[in-house]
Amino acid sequence: MRRGHHERRKKLSLFRLINRLLFLGIGISLLFALLRFQDMDEDFLTFISRGLGVWTSDLPKVSVDDWELILVNRSHLQEESHPKLTQIDDIQVDSRIAENTRQFLAAARAIAPGETLISGYRSRAEQTELYEEALALAEEGLSRQEAEQEVQKRIQLPGASEHQTGLAIDMSEPEGQNDEVANKIAEIAPKYGFILRYPEGKSDITGVNFENWHYRYVGVESAQYMQKHHLVLEEYLALLKESAR
């Protein structure tokens, strides 16, 4: 009789433990769901990097100050940088990533022969012109504020575009990138130091809607780490900063 009572107590304790773990998991999930609606400043991104539970023991030996990890977005505007450029097909890129870009393009064409470099380096003046043209079209039937909100989902503000660094490329088939091809190319990109900069499900962090054609050079080690841990550049830099890199 005593043994049966003891067994029931053990089962009850186990049941309570499982319930507590479930409620804890639900609570954490709800907390992060609420936090995703907050403004993404650097302190909050640092908090996110802790919450991700990413192991830092295999972090690449890189620094947030390395040239290939420069952060350019609406919170980190860049002045005209005038990088040394190299022509590849119809675009230009920072000369330091020219060979990696050629190799990445060749690998992408092995998957889909029609892959083309659509865009590379753009000056701030060119970005301004592109932005203003899109804004003028969007303003037809919308207020200025509504037009700006709509355009900024697709085109970055002057100073907020990575294309000004010469470290970003747009690569696609001329008729558009289908999902199967895009996934295969994104999978091999880190081998050449590139990441898909604006992946699906991360627009609340990057500020940009999903783009399956926009790649950013960050270096091979960083790109492979980011892919392994499903990080975007903002999250990766926050993690490096938290690790005093």
Side-chain angles (χ1 to χ4, degrees):
M1 191 72 176
R2 290 179 180 176
R3 182 179 178 182
H5 179 67
H6 180 65
E7 290 296 327
R8 284 196 297 273
R9 288 186 64 186
K10 283 176 65 178
K11 289 179 181 179
L12 182 60
S13 296
L14 179 60
F15 178 75
R16 287 173 176 168
L17 176 61
I18 291 172
N19 270 345
R20 287 173 183 171
L21 289 174
L22 285 173
F23 278 113
L24 178 61
I26 292 170
I28 291 173
S29 297
L30 288 173
L31 175 62
F32 276 94
L34 290 171
L35 287 172
R36 289 170 79 89
F37 290 97
Q38 303 296 318
D39 291 332
M40 290 291 166
D41 57 22
E42 287 186 346
D43 290 337
F44 181 60
L45 287 172
T46 299
F47 177 76
I48 286 178
S49 73
R50 292 173 181 170
L52 285 170
V54 177
W55 292 104
T56 59
S57 59
D58 60 340
L59 262 177
K61 290 181 172 60
V62 296
S63 166
V64 294
D65 297 320
D66 291 346
W67 62 269
E68 63 266 39
L69 294 178
I70 183 172
L71 179 62
V72 181
N73 57 28
R74 291 171 204 161
S75 300
H76 299 80
L77 300 180
Q78 184 190 33
E79 298 299 326
E80 200 73 75
S81 59
H82 303 292
K84 183 180 178 182
L85 300 170
T86 296
Q87 186 84 20
I88 302 176
D89 289 356
D90 294 328
I91 72 164
Q92 292 179 308
V93 297
D94 185 307
S95 296
R96 292 171 290 189
I97 72 165
E99 186 55 33
N100 293 70
T101 303
R102 291 191 187 98
Q103 291 179 13
F104 183 30
L105 176 61
R109 283 175 172 169
I111 296 171
E115 285 297 310
T116 303
L117 293 173
I118 306 296
S119 184
Y121 169 76
R122 282 199 297 266
S123 68
R124 183 164 180 150
E126 290 172 323
Q127 186 68 25
T128 300
E129 184 178 354
L130 182 67
Y131 180 80
E132 292 296 335
E133 286 177 357
L135 196 57
L137 290 173
E139 279 186 303
E140 296 178 8
L142 297 175
S143 69
R144 176 79 178 189
Q145 184 178 3
E146 291 171 334
E148 287 177 342
Q149 290 174 346
E150 186 62 32
V151 167
Q152 288 175 24
K153 293 177 182 178
R154 301 176 287 108
I155 301 174
Q156 288 285 18
L157 287 163
S161 172
E162 290 191 322
H163 286 287
Q164 290 176 212
T165 66
L167 302 176
I169 60 172
D170 291 341
M171 184 169 64
S172 173
E173 294 179 287
E175 63 274 15
Q177 199 84 292
N178 72 61
D179 291 339
E180 184 179 358
V181 169
N183 290 339
K184 288 180 179 179
I185 292 175
E187 186 66 26
I188 66 167
K191 180 179 178 181
Y192 306 97
F194 288 88
I195 55 165
L196 186 68
R197 180 66 175 93
Y198 305 120
E200 200 165 10
K202 296 279 190 172
S203 60
D204 55 342
I205 298 174
T206 64
V208 180
N209 285 353
F210 171 52
E211 294 183 357
N212 66 5
W213 61 87
H214 182 100
Y215 289 91
R216 162 65 192 270
Y217 183 83
V218 295
V220 174
E221 281 189 290
S222 292
Q224 290 177 339
Y225 183 91
M226 291 168 68
Q227 182 185 63
K228 177 181 177 181
H229 296 289
H230 308 289
L231 302 174
V232 292
L233 186 57
E234 285 84 354
E235 294 171 310
Y236 180 57
L237 291 175
L239 189 61
L240 290 176
K241 184 178 179 182
E242 180 67 15
S243 303
R245 295 294 182 88

